[in-house]
Amino acid sequence: MFDKEMLKNILSAFGPSGREETASEVIKGYVAPYADEVYNDRLGNLIAVKKGTSGRKIMYSAHMDQIGLIVTDIDEKGFLRVSNVGGVSPVISIAREVVFKNGTRGVTYFETEKGIKDMTLAQLFIDIGCESYEEAAAKVDVGDMCIFVSNFVEMGNKLSSPYMDDRIACAALVEAFRTMKSEHDIYAVFTVQEEVGLRGAGAAAFAIEPDLNISCDVTGMGDIPNCTRMSVKLGAGATVKAMDSSVIVPVKVREFLKNAADKRGIKWQNEVLRAGGTDTGAAQRAGKGTFSGCVSIPTRYIHAPIETIDIRDYEAAIALMRAAAEEKELPTV
Ligand code: CO
Ligand code: ZN
């Protein structure tokens, strides 16, 4: 069974892009007892290392940053104006609860005069219950970020929560790292600023120079009413990525992952993600180039505060990451 308490703590830790410190501390608490070394680099990436004997290195990467909102202005009545941090849909941002790092809570709504139809984030505001600029400015500053709050919902094998993207993969990487046995050096990297342009993973891969990077992120699916067709469905296993907007995964890397899964009876699906990039691409381009692939967890309603996954896919992703570490032969030129 999965460690529900750990999963909830990782899902709810504050950490919008560029402000990942709290999330990093929470994750560090879970990986440190199993690591030979844990450190943060200059960008804030959290890196946990387990030493092996083969002289080869596998890097795993899951991003710990979250999408959210950043305060651009505070008006005379104490309402906050905002811009997006990462891919935030204006319509999905209305009528939500948000929280700031210092615990200040608020609710979102929009200027109703122009209507909701072509609504942009310029019409969105946050009500933090204040009546003046001074009262609001005492709680929140321009430049502060907030994240969306919603419940952790259990629906049979399905789990719904904000920030499955990508905390579900952070939790999966923690679980895999805790139980991993490998003759290779293992670098579990919890990356920063993925949602604003894959900024953390490249620096980490450049510094580590791994023989193989395996990113873990959420991916889309094609199993809800009238959505864009996609072969991925929830409950059918972790996916082995072929392509997304940031990367074409080399056949050698895909075969490596598929073979590792098949040998152990781990369920996997092929994945082509039409839109959206991942750390996979940033790691691939780092330094002189890196063998880079991705194990994804199929997710419904990505970037809405009710992202929904299947616990069996989560467990398959953990098993597949662990399996890759056990393989003696890594992809080579
Ligand atoms: Co995302
Ligand atoms: Zn993601």
Side-chain angles (χ1 to χ4, degrees):
M1 263 321 281
F2 69 105
D3 185 339
K4 198 193 295 180
E5 193 194 306
M6 178 192 79
L7 180 57
K8 282 184 173 179
N9 288 339
I10 290 179
L11 282 167
S12 60
F14 186 87
S17 305
R19 305 278 191 275
E20 298 91 351
E21 298 81 9
T22 307
S24 176
E25 283 305 307
V26 169
I27 295 168
K28 187 188 279 183
Y30 288 111
V31 291
Y34 304 88
D36 295 315
E37 193 189 349
V38 188
Y39 59 96
N40 289 95
D41 69 10
R42 287 181 197 145
L43 291 190
N45 293 309
L46 172 68
I47 301 163
V49 189
K50 252 184 193 178
K51 286 284 175 198
T53 52
S54 72
R56 307 194 78 191
K57 302 174 208 167
I58 304 180
M59 166 173 155
Y60 292 86
S61 42
H63 69 89
M64 58 183 172
D65 64 311
Q66 308 161 297
I67 60 169
L69 299 170
I70 183 165
V71 177
T72 56
D73 189 29
I74 304 171
D75 78 14
E76 63 286 353
K77 289 180 180 160
F79 291 94
L80 315 178
R81 293 312 174 113
V82 293
S83 186
N84 60 302
V85 178
V88 174
S89 151
V91 169
I92 285 172
S93 305
I94 302 172
R96 299 291 178 189
E97 182 183 353
V98 295
V99 66
F100 288 85
K101 189 176 182 180
N102 67 5
T104 300
R105 302 225 157 215
V107 292
T108 63
Y109 212 66
F110 69 110
E111 295 174 351
T112 50
E113 208 175 10
K114 278 189 252 170
I116 201 169
K117 203 167 148 281
D118 298 309
M119 186 227 160
T120 69
L121 283 180
Q123 283 168 262
L124 194 80
F125 59 81
I126 302 176
D127 182 346
I128 56 168
C130 294
E131 290 167 9
S132 67
Y133 170 86
E134 288 73 21
E135 194 187 351
K139 294 183 169 184
V140 171
D141 242 339
V142 169
D144 285 356
M145 294 180 188
C146 63
I147 59 170
F148 297 100
V149 182
S150 182
N151 293 321
F152 181 87
V153 185
E154 294 179 71
M155 309 178 288
N157 284 320
K158 309 288 188 291
L159 299 177
S160 176
S161 166
Y163 302 118
M164 289 293 185
D165 180 9
D166 191 25
R167 298 293 176 75
I168 189 68
C170 292
L173 180 50
V174 169
E175 289 277 20
F177 186 79
R178 281 171 158 186
T179 50
M180 215 171 244
K181 293 210 166 35
S182 183
E183 62 183 44
H184 312 301
D185 292 348
I186 301 295
Y187 290 77
V189 184
F190 301 88
T191 64
V192 296
Q193 300 194 40
E194 189 270 357
E195 295 288 3
V196 290
L198 322 180
R199 295 176 190 168
F206 178 86
I208 294 166
E209 295 189 81
D211 293 277
L212 173 65
N213 167 72
I214 301 170
S215 292
C216 188
D217 206 332
V218 300
T219 192
M221 44 72 237
D223 65 355
I224 56 170
N226 293 328
C227 61
T228 307
R229 290 197 64 146
M230 184 173 179
S231 68
V232 173
K233 59 175 191 270
L234 266 65
T239 76
V240 174
K241 188 187 294 289
M243 189 174 94
D244 66 29
S245 317
S246 69
V247 72
I248 297 169
V249 177
V251 171
K252 277 179 189 175
V253 176
R254 299 190 70 219
E255 292 304 318
F256 169 82
L257 289 169
K258 290 176 184 182
N259 288 335
D262 286 340
K263 271 193 221 170
R264 297 165 182 84
I266 299 163
K267 280 175 83 180
W268 60 271
Q269 323 177 50
N270 276 311
E271 175 214 333
V272 175
L273 182 64
R274 284 169 192 269
T278 53
D279 282 344
T280 326
Q284 183 183 55
R285 291 189 294 275
K288 295 173 186 167
T290 307
F291 280 112
S292 186
C294 185
V295 171
S296 315
I297 300 170
T299 303
R300 294 177 181 163
Y301 327 121
I302 291 178
H303 287 198
I306 42 129
E307 290 171 330
T308 299
I309 62 106
D310 190 298
I311 199 69
R312 294 166 292 183
D313 303 332
Y314 170 67
E315 283 169 347
I318 295 167
L320 184 43
M321 284 194 275
R322 195 189 291 133
E326 288 167 1
E327 289 294 312
K328 291 190 190 309
E329 300 300 324
L330 303 182
T332 52
V333 176

